[in-house]
Every structure is written in C-alpha cells, then in structure tokens.
Amino acid sequence: MTDTPDSFISSRLFTSNSTGGHSADTSDLRAQLKLHFGHDTFRPLQQQIIQDALAGRDVFVLMPTGGGKSLCYQFPAVIQPGVTVVVSPLIALMEDQVKALHATGISATMLNSSLDRSEIFRRENAVIQGEYKLVYLSPERLAGPAGLRLLERIKLTDRKSTRLNSSHLVISYAVFCLKKK
C-alpha cells in the first residue's frame, strides 16, 4: 500500500479498532468472493475490513469514491444469515447497486420515493418474509414511522454489527448498514 493521504487515512481509521486474529480463513474468503461477486482478489483493505466485520468488530471505513466500500458490507451480508439494511441518500446509487447485485444473483431491493405505495407494500412484505439479503432504504424512509416499523418487524438484533459506509458526500450523507440475524 502506498502512503498517499487516502490510504493512510483509510488504514489508520480502519485499523484503530482492530486487534488482529481474524476468524475467517483467507482462502475461504477468496472462494466466496469469486463465487458471489466474480472477483479473484480483494482491493486494498477490503479483506481486512470484511474479516473484522465478520468477527463482529466495530469498523469505520473511509475510502475514496471507487475504492470498493460497497463490497465491505455486501460481502458479509451475503455470506451471513439474515438481512442487511443499507441507508443511502441517493436513489440512483441504490438503483445501480441493486441492479449490480441482481446481476450476480444476489437478492436485493430498495425502498424509496420512486416507488408507488403498492410496490413498497409488496417489497416490505418480501423483506419481512426474508426474501432479500440486502434492502436499501432512503434516510427519510428509515426515519419515518413506516421505516421504523419495518426495522422492528425484521428484528434487528445484533447492534454490534452496525456498519458505516461513507458515501461520496461525506459531510452531508452517510450510508449506515444495520445487520439483522
């Protein structure tokens, strides 16, 4: 890893809470990466971040746009039981991520203002039934009564696995991932 400001910041923020001793086997992680996402190798820091997330450690990731942040929460979501809720302020980003996940065979959906009420209702019921691994919510959807009821119905039990993935608008927005078992 070069010592550029981005890699230094990412590395220092990421590793400040890490203690080493990851529970996931490296060769197994690479096999899962290939199976679910079609990649042979991880980008810098991704494997360490994923191992810490899988071990239940608190993880804060600050990476530049295009650095591979999404995989850091998508990978654990796919290989662990339950549903992961991702809060994203950008509908276009949600659409792109859900489309990319569908292309790899991963079940994902989004709930935001671009959908009519009947479609939202249908998708919420599917979320409750466990039909999706990842569910993208807009901040206003999450903060409203319907979003909070949805979170209660899917019983987010593991607060330790809450994840933060900063969007490219770091000061204004953040993407929070809440893991449900």
Side-chain angles (χ1 to χ4, degrees):
M1 174 173 63
T2 61
D3 202 358
T4 65
D6 284 335
S7 65
F8 177 76
I9 290 170
S10 298
S11 176
R12 298 294 282 162
L13 288 173
F14 165 65
T15 60
S16 66
N17 198 14
S18 299
T19 58
H22 307 294
S23 62
D25 179 80
T26 300
S27 61
D28 184 51
L29 288 179
R30 278 188 286 226
Q32 294 291 325
L33 179 68
K34 182 70 173 175
L35 175 68
H36 296 293
F37 296 94
H39 304 301
D40 293 317
T41 60
F42 290 98
R43 289 183 182 176
L45 296 177
Q46 284 180 325
Q47 184 172 330
Q48 294 169 285
I49 293 164
I50 290 167
Q51 286 175 313
D52 273 6
L54 290 171
R57 292 187 185 92
D58 293 332
V59 180
F60 177 80
V61 180
L62 179 61
M63 293 174 136
T65 299
K69 295 179 292 291
S70 298
L71 184 73
C72 294
Y73 62 82
Q74 291 171 347
F75 186 101
V78 169
I79 68 169
Q80 292 181 315
V83 87
T84 294
V85 176
V86 181
V87 182
S88 175
L90 304 172
I91 292 174
L93 178 62
M94 285 187 212
E95 291 170 345
D96 290 347
Q97 296 220 345
V98 168
K99 183 179 178 180
L101 288 164
H102 286 172
T104 62
I106 298 168
S107 60
T109 194
M110 62 181 191
L111 299 168
N112 58 49
S113 61
S114 72
L115 305 170
D116 64 39
R117 284 186 180 190
S118 63
E119 184 61 17
I120 288 173
F121 181 76
R122 187 191 69 72
R123 291 182 187 198
E124 284 178 343
N125 283 330
V127 169
I128 292 164
Q129 296 302 312
E131 295 178 24
Y132 298 110
K133 291 301 292 173
L134 290 110
V135 179
Y136 289 77
L137 296 176
S138 60
E140 62 274 9
R141 182 102 196 130
L142 176 68
L148 295 174
R149 279 192 305 272
L150 177 65
L151 292 181
E152 288 173 4
R153 294 201 56 200
I154 60 175
K155 298 178 185 170
L156 293 170
T157 57
D158 187 1
R159 299 294 178 195
K160 181 82 174 155
S161 62
T162 300
R163 296 180 183 94
L164 170 78
N165 175 32
S166 62
S167 72
H168 66 279
L169 302 170
V170 174
I171 294 172
S172 299
Y173 301 108
V175 179
F176 294 91
C177 304
L178 303 174
K179 181 68 185 174
K180 180 250 178 198
K181 287 190 175 197

